[in-house]
């Protein structure tokens, strides 16, 4: 129950007991509460007034499987809203095992100074000079930091994009193989970390002082039920281990909702070359790794290690959203190129989604041609180098669209959409429009309901209600530390009850069956309140006009949900 | 008789040794057959699979026509 506050202005670090107003919450719930309480909503996100909060989930660091998700929160320079960006890897579990509930990075280092925050095996934190690492890319930085601090650590860090203060800058974190290939990608929080003068966070992996579980017996029983449900669920037990999230390429193209060539087509002509089935076969033939564990305590193993035709490492893990943004959106139907672009984004410290869309907008505007792999790689290198064009590209699709005076910008509140077109999956459009975070599929994705035929993806009917429920569920899930893919298994009543038992047993509170819904609603209301005070109005809860005006082949639908219906999402 | 071509995704292809993802899997059915008949023929009658025809998720009662291409998916959630 320890909160570490890091004042970058004075370089003072101190640990305090978690104040009672933040007790019992974690992950997104905690980052949201802290930002709403401590950050002036109208502040410049790049100023010392903003705070960058790292918070593992309530269950992170316990024996429950798949609970190593960390929430990174701040006011976003990309969206101007409150932001929670969520990442896997090891760091959430490691912070939990050190009994650290959150790390709050405040103030701003003196101009030109750069630091690393080092948390040792007893949970003591200190700021150390990091001037020698200025400008380093994340893979080289990671190697250096492991040399200096030892293998018994995990890292979060920024690359050149974060140091340049770019709005698509990510915060990278190391996976179980100690590669910086997991990302808190969304919302430009790498730029906030860069503005604070913090290059890296180094956390010891051997902590043995987790907060006590109030009822260990009940906890263990519920943890076993959860693990069994994850293993028995066909999606988490079979499809994800075999194909990873890339398995969605086939499904979403087959439904005509894969935004391609900057969201002008719903089926990408070359999708079978970049599908999950093809990717898994390429990896298998080349001797790479399918069914690979990327995060601590993961029993799904949806990660992969993509290798070149000589078996050399190219990237980990190649995921659905990146295959879409760097493939479908840019017209590149070559997995090796997509893997290279994925690696470069991780190395430079960029959100693959926002960056891929930025490239696609530039191509659509005529700056380069769709499908030009060399141009895509060169554009990423421009971002890393900080050239004039690189700075525009690195600030995301809205900046690129503005530069070229191009109207087709698939973004909401500045943040690029995800790999589900709102015209082919109308409810995902409702989520993009109304999420407190800007366009974000992890805020409430309805693909499972569409494929299960519980909801018609092409009609306006029922989408607002479905998106509302999904957004509430996801807001709650993001508090727990449980991976959203593992959470697919919570659709069985046994697993859902086990989840409530885990939270009750961990916190020592008797929680009702509606605890997740109540938690989700509370988080969303707090985020809306922050955004309202930051000057965000309902006029910004809208999709770009082209989604209503340009029909998407093959179904030739536009986005149909009325504005007044979008305004009903938060009526709860 | 009618012939439809089935395309399989996820882990479904491995149930058919001779499945070729480029060619699909041809299935001969009686005139008037529907999706349920097809799933029964393939051994998927009791499984949660999603049939997609021309970009639309099909009901199990949908009648099939000669030359139809049916894509079969396992349940997924977002990624």
């Amino acid at each position: 129950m320890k909160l570490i506050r890091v004042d970058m202005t004075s370089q003072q670090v101190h640990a305090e007991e978690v104040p009672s107003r933040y007790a019992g919450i974690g992950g997104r719930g905690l980052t949201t509460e802290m930002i709403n309480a401590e950050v002036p909503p109208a502040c410049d996100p790049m100023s010392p007034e903003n705070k960058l909060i790292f918070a593992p989930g309530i269950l992170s660091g316990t024996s429950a499987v798949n609970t190593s998700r960390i929430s990174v929160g701040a006011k976003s320079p990309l969206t101007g809203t409150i932001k929670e960006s969520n990442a896997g890897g090891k760091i959430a579990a490691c912070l939990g095992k050190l009994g650290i509930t959150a790390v709050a990075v405040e103030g701003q280092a003196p101009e030109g100074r750069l630091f690393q925050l080092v948390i040792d095996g007893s949970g003591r934190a200190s700021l150390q000079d990091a001037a020698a690492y200025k400008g380093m890319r994340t893979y080289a930085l990671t190697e250096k930091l492991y040399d200096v601090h030892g293998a018994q650590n995990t890292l979060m860090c920024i690359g050149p994009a974060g140091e340049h203060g770019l709005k698509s800058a990510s915060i990278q974190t190391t996976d179980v193989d100690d590669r910086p290939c997991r990302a808190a990608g969304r919302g430009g929080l790498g730029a906030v970390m860069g503005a604070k003068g913090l290059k890296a966070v180094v956390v010891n992996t051997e902590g043995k002082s987790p907060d006590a579980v109030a009822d260990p017996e009940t906890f263990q029983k519920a943890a076993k039920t959860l693990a069994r449900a994850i293993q028995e669920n066909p999606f988490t037990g079979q499809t994800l281990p075999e194909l990873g999230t890339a398995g969605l390429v086939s499904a979403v193209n087959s439904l005509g909702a894969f935004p391609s060539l900057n969201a002008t087509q719903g089926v990408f002509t070359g999708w079978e070359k970049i599908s999950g089935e093809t990717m898994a076969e390429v990896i298998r033939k080349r001797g790479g790794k399918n069914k690979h564990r990327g995060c601590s305590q993961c029993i799904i193993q949806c990660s992969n290690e993509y290798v070149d035709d000589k078996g050399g490492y190219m990237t980990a893990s190649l995921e659905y959203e990146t295959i879409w943004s760097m493939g479908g959106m840019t017209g590149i139907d070559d997995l090796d190129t997509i893997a290279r672009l994925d690696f470069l984004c991780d190395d430079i410290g960029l959100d693959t989604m926002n960056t891929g869309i930025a490239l696609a907008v530039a191509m659509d505007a005529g700056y380069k041609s769709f499908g030009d792999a060399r141009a895509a790689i060169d554009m990423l290198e421009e971002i890393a180098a900080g050239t004039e064009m690189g700075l525009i590209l690195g600030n995301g699709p809205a900046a690129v669209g503005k530069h070229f005076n191009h109207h087709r910008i698939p973004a909401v509140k500045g943040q690029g959409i995800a790999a589900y077109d709102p015209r082919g999956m109308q409810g995902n459009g409702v989520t993009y429009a109304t999420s407190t975070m800007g366009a974000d599929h992890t805020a409430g994705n309805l693909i499972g309901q569409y494929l299960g035929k519980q909801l018609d993806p092409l009609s306006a009917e029922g989408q607002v209600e479905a998106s509302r429920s999904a957004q509430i569920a996801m807001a709650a899930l993001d508090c727990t530390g449980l991976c959203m893919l593992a959470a697919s298994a919570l659709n069985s009543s046994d697993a859902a009850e086990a989840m409530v038992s885990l939270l009750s047993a961990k916190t020592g509170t008797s929680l009702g069956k509606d605890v997740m819904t109540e938690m989700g609603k509370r988080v969303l209301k707090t985020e809306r309140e922050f955004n309202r005070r930051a000057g965000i109005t309902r006029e910004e809860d809208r999709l770009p006009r082209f989604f209503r005006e340009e029909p998407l082949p093959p179904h030739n639908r536009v986005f149909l949900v009325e504005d007044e219906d979008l305004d009903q999402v938060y009526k709860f | 008789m009618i012939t439809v071509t089935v395309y399989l995704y996820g882990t479904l292809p491995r149930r058919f040794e001779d499945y070729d993802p480029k060619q699909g899997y041809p299935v001969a059915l009686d005139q008037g057959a529907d999706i349920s008949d097809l799933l029964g023929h393939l051994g998927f009658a009791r499984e949660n699979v999603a049939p997609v025809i021309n970009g639309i998720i099909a009901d199990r009662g949908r009648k099939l026509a000669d030359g139809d291409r049916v894509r079969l998916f396992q349940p997924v959630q977002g990624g």
Side-chain angles (χ1 to χ4, degrees), chain A residues 325-348:
Chain A
S325 63
M326 292 296 178
M329 283 294 269
T330 62
I332 294 170
D333 62 5
D334 172 51
L335 277 173
D336 286 358
T337 302
I338 295 169
R340 179 66 189 159
L341 294 167
D342 180 56
F343 174 85
L344 284 172
C345 280
D346 289 348
D347 204 28
I348 298 165

PDB file of all heavy atoms in Angstrom, chain A residues 325-348:
ATOM      1  N   SER A 325      -2.788  -1.307 -39.008  1.00  0.00           N
ATOM      2  CA  SER A 325      -2.394   0.096 -39.207  1.00  0.00           C
ATOM      3  C   SER A 325      -1.216   0.208 -40.168  1.00  0.00           C
ATOM      4  O   SER A 325      -1.172   1.100 -41.021  1.00  0.00           O
ATOM      5  CB  SER A 325      -2.053   0.765 -37.868  1.00  0.00           C
ATOM      6  OG  SER A 325      -0.949   0.135 -37.256  1.00  0.00           O
ATOM      7  N   MET A 326      -0.261  -0.712 -40.037  1.00  0.00           N
ATOM      8  CA  MET A 326       0.936  -0.671 -40.879  1.00  0.00           C
ATOM      9  C   MET A 326       0.756  -1.466 -42.177  1.00  0.00           C
ATOM     10  O   MET A 326       1.601  -1.397 -43.055  1.00  0.00           O
ATOM     11  CB  MET A 326       2.138  -1.233 -40.106  1.00  0.00           C
ATOM     12  CG  MET A 326       2.560  -0.354 -38.944  1.00  0.00           C
ATOM     13  SD  MET A 326       3.149   1.256 -39.554  1.00  0.00           S
ATOM     14  CE  MET A 326       3.499   2.080 -38.002  1.00  0.00           C
ATOM     15  N   GLY A 327      -0.340  -2.237 -42.248  1.00  0.00           N
ATOM     16  CA  GLY A 327      -0.593  -3.047 -43.432  1.00  0.00           C
ATOM     17  C   GLY A 327      -1.812  -2.559 -44.200  1.00  0.00           C
ATOM     18  O   GLY A 327      -1.692  -1.912 -45.239  1.00  0.00           O
ATOM     19  N   GLY A 328      -2.987  -2.853 -43.669  1.00  0.00           N
ATOM     20  CA  GLY A 328      -4.220  -2.480 -44.369  1.00  0.00           C
ATOM     21  C   GLY A 328      -4.326  -0.992 -44.644  1.00  0.00           C
ATOM     22  O   GLY A 328      -4.671  -0.567 -45.753  1.00  0.00           O
ATOM     23  N   MET A 329      -4.032  -0.191 -43.655  1.00  0.00           N
ATOM     24  CA  MET A 329      -4.192   1.260 -43.829  1.00  0.00           C
ATOM     25  C   MET A 329      -3.203   1.829 -44.839  1.00  0.00           C
ATOM     26  O   MET A 329      -3.523   2.759 -45.585  1.00  0.00           O
ATOM     27  CB  MET A 329      -4.038   1.979 -42.482  1.00  0.00           C
ATOM     28  CG  MET A 329      -5.258   1.876 -41.597  1.00  0.00           C
ATOM     29  SD  MET A 329      -6.697   2.732 -42.279  1.00  0.00           S
ATOM     30  CE  MET A 329      -6.482   4.357 -41.546  1.00  0.00           C
ATOM     31  N   THR A 330      -1.993   1.298 -44.864  1.00  0.00           N
ATOM     32  CA  THR A 330      -0.970   1.841 -45.762  1.00  0.00           C
ATOM     33  C   THR A 330      -0.911   1.093 -47.092  1.00  0.00           C
ATOM     34  O   THR A 330      -0.133   1.474 -47.964  1.00  0.00           O
ATOM     35  CB  THR A 330       0.422   1.736 -45.102  1.00  0.00           C
ATOM     36  OG1 THR A 330       0.697   0.343 -44.893  1.00  0.00           O
ATOM     37  CG2 THR A 330       0.486   2.468 -43.781  1.00  0.00           C
ATOM     38  N   GLY A 331      -1.688   0.017 -47.213  1.00  0.00           N
ATOM     39  CA  GLY A 331      -1.674  -0.763 -48.445  1.00  0.00           C
ATOM     40  C   GLY A 331      -0.464  -1.671 -48.576  1.00  0.00           C
ATOM     41  O   GLY A 331      -0.149  -2.124 -49.676  1.00  0.00           O
ATOM     42  N   ILE A 332       0.200  -1.951 -47.475  1.00  0.00           N
ATOM     43  CA  ILE A 332       1.381  -2.826 -47.510  1.00  0.00           C
ATOM     44  C   ILE A 332       0.946  -4.255 -47.161  1.00  0.00           C
ATOM     45  O   ILE A 332       0.479  -4.507 -46.045  1.00  0.00           O
ATOM     46  CB  ILE A 332       2.466  -2.312 -46.535  1.00  0.00           C
ATOM     47  CG1 ILE A 332       2.993  -0.957 -47.039  1.00  0.00           C
ATOM     48  CG2 ILE A 332       3.597  -3.325 -46.392  1.00  0.00           C
ATOM     49  CD1 ILE A 332       3.889  -0.227 -46.057  1.00  0.00           C
ATOM     50  N   ASP A 333       1.099  -5.170 -48.128  1.00  0.00           N
ATOM     51  CA  ASP A 333       0.606  -6.532 -47.890  1.00  0.00           C
ATOM     52  C   ASP A 333       1.747  -7.520 -47.684  1.00  0.00           C
ATOM     53  O   ASP A 333       1.654  -8.683 -48.052  1.00  0.00           O
ATOM     54  CB  ASP A 333      -0.315  -6.983 -49.041  1.00  0.00           C
ATOM     55  CG  ASP A 333       0.402  -7.026 -50.379  1.00  0.00           C
ATOM     56  OD1 ASP A 333       1.638  -6.796 -50.416  1.00  0.00           O
ATOM     57  OD2 ASP A 333      -0.261  -7.287 -51.398  1.00  0.00           O
ATOM     58  N   ASP A 334       2.826  -7.047 -47.086  1.00  0.00           N
ATOM     59  CA  ASP A 334       4.012  -7.880 -46.876  1.00  0.00           C
ATOM     60  C   ASP A 334       4.320  -7.942 -45.382  1.00  0.00           C
ATOM     61  O   ASP A 334       4.634  -6.919 -44.753  1.00  0.00           O
ATOM     62  CB  ASP A 334       5.194  -7.268 -47.641  1.00  0.00           C
ATOM     63  CG  ASP A 334       6.497  -7.978 -47.317  1.00  0.00           C
ATOM     64  OD1 ASP A 334       6.522  -9.213 -47.407  1.00  0.00           O
ATOM     65  OD2 ASP A 334       7.470  -7.291 -46.947  1.00  0.00           O
ATOM     66  N   LEU A 335       4.230  -9.150 -44.812  1.00  0.00           N
ATOM     67  CA  LEU A 335       4.397  -9.287 -43.357  1.00  0.00           C
ATOM     68  C   LEU A 335       5.800  -8.883 -42.889  1.00  0.00           C
ATOM     69  O   LEU A 335       5.955  -8.343 -41.788  1.00  0.00           O
ATOM     70  CB  LEU A 335       4.104 -10.722 -42.919  1.00  0.00           C
ATOM     71  CG  LEU A 335       2.639 -11.081 -42.700  1.00  0.00           C
ATOM     72  CD1 LEU A 335       2.494 -12.573 -42.446  1.00  0.00           C
ATOM     73  CD2 LEU A 335       2.031 -10.287 -41.534  1.00  0.00           C
ATOM     74  N   ASP A 336       6.814  -9.152 -43.712  1.00  0.00           N
ATOM     75  CA  ASP A 336       8.175  -8.782 -43.300  1.00  0.00           C
ATOM     76  C   ASP A 336       8.301  -7.261 -43.150  1.00  0.00           C
ATOM     77  O   ASP A 336       8.934  -6.771 -42.208  1.00  0.00           O
ATOM     78  CB  ASP A 336       9.201  -9.286 -44.317  1.00  0.00           C
ATOM     79  CG  ASP A 336       9.416 -10.800 -44.224  1.00  0.00           C
ATOM     80  OD1 ASP A 336       8.787 -11.440 -43.350  1.00  0.00           O
ATOM     81  OD2 ASP A 336      10.193 -11.334 -45.021  1.00  0.00           O
ATOM     82  N   THR A 337       7.705  -6.529 -44.070  1.00  0.00           N
ATOM     83  CA  THR A 337       7.747  -5.059 -43.958  1.00  0.00           C
ATOM     84  C   THR A 337       6.966  -4.592 -42.726  1.00  0.00           C
ATOM     85  O   THR A 337       7.418  -3.715 -41.982  1.00  0.00           O
ATOM     86  CB  THR A 337       7.160  -4.400 -45.219  1.00  0.00           C
ATOM     87  OG1 THR A 337       7.909  -4.841 -46.345  1.00  0.00           O
ATOM     88  CG2 THR A 337       7.225  -2.890 -45.126  1.00  0.00           C
ATOM     89  N   ILE A 338       5.814  -5.196 -42.522  1.00  0.00           N
ATOM     90  CA  ILE A 338       4.995  -4.813 -41.356  1.00  0.00           C
ATOM     91  C   ILE A 338       5.767  -5.104 -40.065  1.00  0.00           C
ATOM     92  O   ILE A 338       5.764  -4.302 -39.128  1.00  0.00           O
ATOM     93  CB  ILE A 338       3.636  -5.547 -41.386  1.00  0.00           C
ATOM     94  CG1 ILE A 338       2.821  -5.087 -42.604  1.00  0.00           C
ATOM     95  CG2 ILE A 338       2.856  -5.292 -40.103  1.00  0.00           C
ATOM     96  CD1 ILE A 338       1.588  -5.941 -42.878  1.00  0.00           C
ATOM     97  N   ALA A 339       6.446  -6.253 -40.037  1.00  0.00           N
ATOM     98  CA  ALA A 339       7.243  -6.600 -38.851  1.00  0.00           C
ATOM     99  C   ALA A 339       8.357  -5.571 -38.634  1.00  0.00           C
ATOM    100  O   ALA A 339       8.644  -5.174 -37.499  1.00  0.00           O
ATOM    101  CB  ALA A 339       7.839  -8.000 -39.007  1.00  0.00           C
ATOM    102  N   ARG A 340       8.970  -5.142 -39.720  1.00  0.00           N
ATOM    103  CA  ARG A 340      10.033  -4.132 -39.610  1.00  0.00           C
ATOM    104  C   ARG A 340       9.458  -2.806 -39.078  1.00  0.00           C
ATOM    105  O   ARG A 340      10.056  -2.159 -38.212  1.00  0.00           O
ATOM    106  CB  ARG A 340      10.672  -3.920 -40.988  1.00  0.00           C
ATOM    107  CG  ARG A 340      11.775  -2.871 -41.011  1.00  0.00           C
ATOM    108  CD  ARG A 340      12.986  -3.312 -40.186  1.00  0.00           C
ATOM    109  NE  ARG A 340      13.960  -2.227 -40.037  1.00  0.00           N
ATOM    110  CZ  ARG A 340      14.873  -2.171 -39.086  1.00  0.00           C
ATOM    111  NH1 ARG A 340      14.962  -3.141 -38.181  1.00  0.00           N
ATOM    112  NH2 ARG A 340      15.716  -1.164 -39.021  1.00  0.00           N
ATOM    113  N   LEU A 341       8.297  -2.431 -39.576  1.00  0.00           N
ATOM    114  CA  LEU A 341       7.659  -1.184 -39.111  1.00  0.00           C
ATOM    115  C   LEU A 341       7.270  -1.295 -37.643  1.00  0.00           C
ATOM    116  O   LEU A 341       7.401  -0.328 -36.876  1.00  0.00           O
ATOM    117  CB  LEU A 341       6.436  -0.871 -39.986  1.00  0.00           C
ATOM    118  CG  LEU A 341       6.743  -0.532 -41.454  1.00  0.00           C
ATOM    119  CD1 LEU A 341       5.461  -0.567 -42.294  1.00  0.00           C
ATOM    120  CD2 LEU A 341       7.415   0.843 -41.562  1.00  0.00           C
ATOM    121  N   ASP A 342       6.813  -2.473 -37.243  1.00  0.00           N
ATOM    122  CA  ASP A 342       6.468  -2.699 -35.835  1.00  0.00           C
ATOM    123  C   ASP A 342       7.705  -2.542 -34.954  1.00  0.00           C
ATOM    124  O   ASP A 342       7.685  -1.861 -33.920  1.00  0.00           O
ATOM    125  CB  ASP A 342       5.862  -4.098 -35.664  1.00  0.00           C
ATOM    126  CG  ASP A 342       5.474  -4.387 -34.221  1.00  0.00           C
ATOM    127  OD1 ASP A 342       4.689  -3.602 -33.666  1.00  0.00           O
ATOM    128  OD2 ASP A 342       5.958  -5.381 -33.657  1.00  0.00           O
ATOM    129  N   PHE A 343       8.806  -3.177 -35.391  1.00  0.00           N
ATOM    130  CA  PHE A 343      10.049  -3.072 -34.624  1.00  0.00           C
ATOM    131  C   PHE A 343      10.488  -1.611 -34.519  1.00  0.00           C
ATOM    132  O   PHE A 343      10.873  -1.133 -33.441  1.00  0.00           O
ATOM    133  CB  PHE A 343      11.153  -3.908 -35.285  1.00  0.00           C
ATOM    134  CG  PHE A 343      12.501  -3.725 -34.621  1.00  0.00           C
ATOM    135  CD1 PHE A 343      12.839  -4.481 -33.511  1.00  0.00           C
ATOM    136  CD2 PHE A 343      13.406  -2.770 -35.080  1.00  0.00           C
ATOM    137  CE1 PHE A 343      14.066  -4.294 -32.872  1.00  0.00           C
ATOM    138  CE2 PHE A 343      14.626  -2.574 -34.450  1.00  0.00           C
ATOM    139  CZ  PHE A 343      14.963  -3.341 -33.343  1.00  0.00           C
ATOM    140  N   LEU A 344      10.445  -0.903 -35.634  1.00  0.00           N
ATOM    141  CA  LEU A 344      10.894   0.496 -35.617  1.00  0.00           C
ATOM    142  C   LEU A 344      10.048   1.341 -34.665  1.00  0.00           C
ATOM    143  O   LEU A 344      10.564   2.192 -33.937  1.00  0.00           O
ATOM    144  CB  LEU A 344      10.855   1.086 -37.033  1.00  0.00           C
ATOM    145  CG  LEU A 344      11.995   0.651 -37.960  1.00  0.00           C
ATOM    146  CD1 LEU A 344      11.742   1.140 -39.383  1.00  0.00           C
ATOM    147  CD2 LEU A 344      13.340   1.177 -37.451  1.00  0.00           C
ATOM    148  N   CYS A 345       8.750   1.113 -34.668  1.00  0.00           N
ATOM    149  CA  CYS A 345       7.890   1.867 -33.744  1.00  0.00           C
ATOM    150  C   CYS A 345       8.277   1.578 -32.293  1.00  0.00           C
ATOM    151  O   CYS A 345       8.385   2.497 -31.480  1.00  0.00           O
ATOM    152  CB  CYS A 345       6.417   1.526 -33.973  1.00  0.00           C
ATOM    153  SG  CYS A 345       5.708   2.381 -35.381  1.00  0.00           S
ATOM    154  N   ASP A 346       8.471   0.312 -31.963  1.00  0.00           N
ATOM    155  CA  ASP A 346       8.890  -0.038 -30.598  1.00  0.00           C
ATOM    156  C   ASP A 346      10.232   0.617 -30.272  1.00  0.00           C
ATOM    157  O   ASP A 346      10.453   1.096 -29.157  1.00  0.00           O
ATOM    158  CB  ASP A 346       9.024  -1.553 -30.440  1.00  0.00           C
ATOM    159  CG  ASP A 346       7.687  -2.269 -30.436  1.00  0.00           C
ATOM    160  OD1 ASP A 346       6.651  -1.596 -30.331  1.00  0.00           O
ATOM    161  OD2 ASP A 346       7.681  -3.519 -30.551  1.00  0.00           O
ATOM    162  N   ASP A 347      11.119   0.617 -31.240  1.00  0.00           N
ATOM    163  CA  ASP A 347      12.490   1.091 -31.006  1.00  0.00           C
ATOM    164  C   ASP A 347      12.533   2.623 -30.874  1.00  0.00           C
ATOM    165  O   ASP A 347      13.271   3.159 -30.045  1.00  0.00           O
ATOM    166  CB  ASP A 347      13.370   0.630 -32.178  1.00  0.00           C
ATOM    167  CG  ASP A 347      14.841   0.531 -31.816  1.00  0.00           C
ATOM    168  OD1 ASP A 347      15.144   0.293 -30.626  1.00  0.00           O
ATOM    169  OD2 ASP A 347      15.688   0.681 -32.711  1.00  0.00           O
ATOM    170  N   ILE A 348      11.732   3.301 -31.697  1.00  0.00           N
ATOM    171  CA  ILE A 348      11.697   4.766 -31.654  1.00  0.00           C
ATOM    172  C   ILE A 348      10.781   5.240 -30.516  1.00  0.00           C
ATOM    173  O   ILE A 348      10.902   6.355 -30.020  1.00  0.00           O
ATOM    174  CB  ILE A 348      11.220   5.313 -33.023  1.00  0.00           C
ATOM    175  CG1 ILE A 348      12.212   4.901 -34.123  1.00  0.00           C
ATOM    176  CG2 ILE A 348      11.056   6.822 -33.014  1.00  0.00           C
ATOM    177  CD1 ILE A 348      11.677   5.064 -35.549  1.00  0.00           C
TER     178      ILE A 348
END
